[in-house]
Amino acid sequence: MAAAPAVTASSSSSSFLSQSSFSLKASKSTHRRPAGRSSVTVRCVSSPPAVDTSYKTSVPRNANMAKLQAGYLFPEIARRRAAHLLKYPDAKIISLGIGDTTEPIPHVITNAMAERAHALSTIDGYSGYGAEQGEKKVRAAIAATYYADLGIEDSDIFVSDGAKCDISRLQLLFGSNVTIAVQDPSYPAYVDSSVIMGQTGLYQQDVQKYGNIEYMRCNPENGFFPDLSTVPRTDIIFFCSPNNPTGAAASRDQLTRLVKFAKDNGSIIVYDSAYAMYISDDSPKSIFEIPGAKEVALETASFSKYAGFTGVRLGWTVVPKELLFSDGHPVAKDFNRIVCTCFNGASNISQAGGLACLSPEGLKAMHDVVGFYKENTEIIVDTFTSLGFNVYGAKNAPYVWVHFPGRNSWDVFAEILEKANVVTTPGSGFGPGGEGFVRVSAFGHRDNIIEAARRLKQLYK
């Protein structure tokens, strides 16, 4: 530590500046001084630096965790929202950022869950551990509702606590030695789980990418579908349609090309169809609508954005028996082993809700909920287009992808939060291809959507 002069009343002796260790010492002086006054010598006394005495184990940290950049996107947004509220405690924030549903779960669904929950308090209705793969009735209902005539059987379906959780289980299935490709931009769980598994290299700050990941650029110029002729072969291809965050749904021709690309390269497609019920044109709702897909793809899905199950937690993954590893071993058998090891099955109460979702009344109720959010997207789209912005998505998804040319996404996020008290999601949080965009979620009460639109018009008029 650099030496500093002592603070003294009569001499210039030297000492060291310490953090807070001071000796105050009254001293006599030969000089005359006014009555009642005394001379004080203040000496800075050196003390050893504070020692960290907390106990540490001998277990090294997972080096892959150290590769991750800052926090996961949505907790980081929540942190900045909280900081804004500390600065402006009276701010009336409207959140159009994280894709969390806001409308109540339809009664036909909650009544079924309540009935199942009550039955658990009876001798006849109680049940403990269930099948890790899901209840037979639920698996059969999923197959009949979403995969009729597509050759998907009940036994191909694994019921879970949500698509995001299944993505991490799939990463365990594939292991650390595979190579991956992702849409750019895309849902950050694909990349972050790959980093944690050790599939990637270090983060490259200059290009804002991890090494050993193939980022398939999806932008307005290519219709948000990658130019596959420029994409190197990878083992795993993560593909979400309708896409989060851009809202773009791949056409039948595009998915046909994707399946052929995977087959030519011997790759496996992890197809995320979490927003399929939002599709209102003839875009495929499942990858298995494409001939040959069962040999190269599996599919994850969820009730979260259809029935408001973001907190209830229920989803599923389809692993066709035709999907094989390079040695001929069925992928489904290994996934079943992963599920049985890492999971005790979805909540029986949640599965009762899922079964109600797939009843005629439940399906109608879910379509009504989806329709409500799609009306919200129209309000958001009309708002930004009236202000002269280029807007994408929305037609087949609950997200509006807004272009701010030449702007930094986090700067736009901060501007909208600071000046309009509206939370959005910066596009760069979904990958380098999202820079210059923000994602605006349509999940919100109608009054909040209308008020957010008013504030945005005032901000950018």
Side-chain angles (χ1 to χ4, degrees):
M1 186 176 291
V7 181
T8 179
S10 58
S11 67
S12 58
S13 61
S14 63
S15 76
F16 290 92
L17 181 65
S18 70
Q19 294 176 0
S20 60
S21 180
F22 296 99
S23 173
L24 300 180
K25 182 179 182 182
S27 64
K28 295 182 179 180
S29 172
T30 57
H31 295 285
R32 294 173 181 253
R33 56 185 178 272
R37 296 267 186 105
S38 63
S39 172
V40 177
T41 300
V42 182
R43 297 184 182 277
C44 296
V45 181
S46 175
S47 64
V51 177
D52 184 0
T53 58
S54 59
Y55 175 77
K56 299 181 181 66
T57 72
S58 299
V59 180
R61 183 189 181 196
N62 181 347
N64 296 315
M65 296 299 298
K67 296 179 188 176
L68 292 169
Q69 296 300 295
Y72 186 67
L73 174 61
F74 299 111
E76 175 62 20
I77 289 172
R79 186 191 67 79
R80 296 191 185 208
R81 180 185 187 276
H84 181 76
L85 278 175
L86 283 176
K87 186 177 179 182
Y88 305 104
D90 297 327
K92 305 298 183 185
I93 292 180
I94 297 174
S95 181
L96 304 180
I98 185 172
D100 193 4
T101 51
T102 58
E103 301 312 293
I105 298 172
H107 286 296
V108 64
I109 300 168
T110 55
N111 287 344
M113 290 192 287
E115 183 178 340
R116 183 67 173 269
H118 178 72
L120 292 173
S121 65
T122 69
I123 293 294
D124 293 336
Y126 176 77
S127 61
Y129 291 129
E132 293 90 345
Q133 304 81 5
E135 296 178 1
K136 289 184 178 180
K137 287 183 179 180
V138 179
R139 300 171 81 188
I142 292 171
T145 303
Y146 295 113
Y147 304 102
D149 304 322
L150 296 181
I152 297 299
E153 300 177 4
D154 306 2
S155 58
D156 297 329
I157 294 169
F158 296 81
V159 180
S160 72
D161 51 348
K164 182 178 182 179
C165 303
D166 274 346
I167 288 166
S168 291
R169 294 184 190 109
L170 288 168
Q171 292 283 29
L172 285 176
L173 169 73
F174 296 130
S176 60
N177 294 323
V178 297
T179 54
I180 74 160
V182 297
Q183 291 160 289
D184 179 26
S186 67
Y187 182 45
Y190 312 141
V191 168
D192 283 10
S193 59
S194 297
V195 174
I196 292 170
M197 279 299 299
Q199 298 167 355
T200 75
L202 297 174
Y203 187 73
Q204 302 163 8
Q205 190 66 49
D206 56 336
V207 292
Q208 297 184 327
K209 298 179 180 180
Y210 287 96
N212 300 334
I213 293 182
E214 183 61 35
Y215 291 78
M216 304 184 296
R217 182 60 61 93
C218 298
N219 54 32
E221 290 70 34
N222 61 19
F224 296 101
F225 187 82
D227 180 359
L228 297 176
S229 67
T230 66
V231 177
R233 182 207 175 272
T234 61
D235 296 310
I236 310 298
I237 303 169
F238 284 97
F239 198 92
C240 179
S241 179
N243 176 265
N244 177 14
T246 67
S251 69
R252 192 169 302 276
D253 176 68
Q254 288 172 333
L255 290 181
T256 299
R257 281 186 273 146
L258 179 65
V259 167
K260 182 180 185 303
F261 177 78
K263 200 161 190 176
D264 289 346
N265 287 284
S267 305
I268 292 177
I269 301 166
V270 177
Y271 190 81
D272 188 341
S273 64
Y275 302 96
M277 281 188 71
Y278 287 82
I279 293 176
S280 55
D281 58 21
D282 61 353
S283 300
K285 294 180 172 64
S286 168
I287 190 68
F288 301 120
E289 295 181 36
I290 307 302
K294 291 195 293 293
E295 298 174 346
V296 294
L298 52 83
E299 181 170 301
T300 64
S302 169
F303 288 104
S304 288
K305 308 305 167 64
Y306 307 160
F309 271 30
T310 51
V312 174
R313 308 305 307 154
L314 194 69
W316 68 92
T317 290
V318 182
V319 188
K321 56 183 59 64
E322 293 89 343
L323 185 63
L324 307 176
F325 285 117
S326 60
D327 64 356
H329 189 80
V331 174
K333 283 191 175 181
D334 279 1
F335 189 61
N336 184 68
R337 185 69 172 85
I338 292 287
V339 167
C340 291
T341 300
C342 302
F343 188 49
N344 274 331
S347 159
N348 44 23
I349 298 172
S350 298
Q351 291 191 76
L355 201 57
C357 286
L358 301 174
S359 68
E361 298 85 357
L363 286 168
K364 180 183 182 304
M366 287 197 297
H367 280 292
D368 289 343
V369 171
V370 168
F372 175 86
Y373 291 129
K374 286 175 72 68
E375 290 172 359
N376 283 353
T377 64
E378 293 174 6
I379 296 171
I380 297 168
V381 168
D382 290 345
T383 298
F384 281 103
T385 54
S386 71
L387 294 167
F389 290 95
N390 287 326
V391 176
Y392 306 93
K395 180 181 180 181
N396 295 314
Y399 300 123
V400 181
W401 191 237
V402 187
H403 195 197
F404 288 78
R407 299 282 310 273
N408 176 279
S409 294
W410 278 106
D411 288 348
V412 176
F413 165 87
E415 177 179 78
I416 295 174
L417 177 59
E418 182 80 15
K419 297 180 179 180
N421 289 317
V422 174
V423 175
T424 57
T425 306
S428 59
F430 299 97
E435 186 61 271
F437 292 85
V438 295
R439 191 194 75 175
V440 184
S441 167
F443 294 119
H445 302 311
R446 184 60 48 81
D447 289 349
N448 284 344
I449 297 294
I450 293 171
E451 172 60 16
R454 184 194 67 78
R455 295 180 191 178
L456 290 165
K457 285 180 179 179
Q458 186 174 8
L459 175 60
Y460 291 116
K461 63 183 178 181

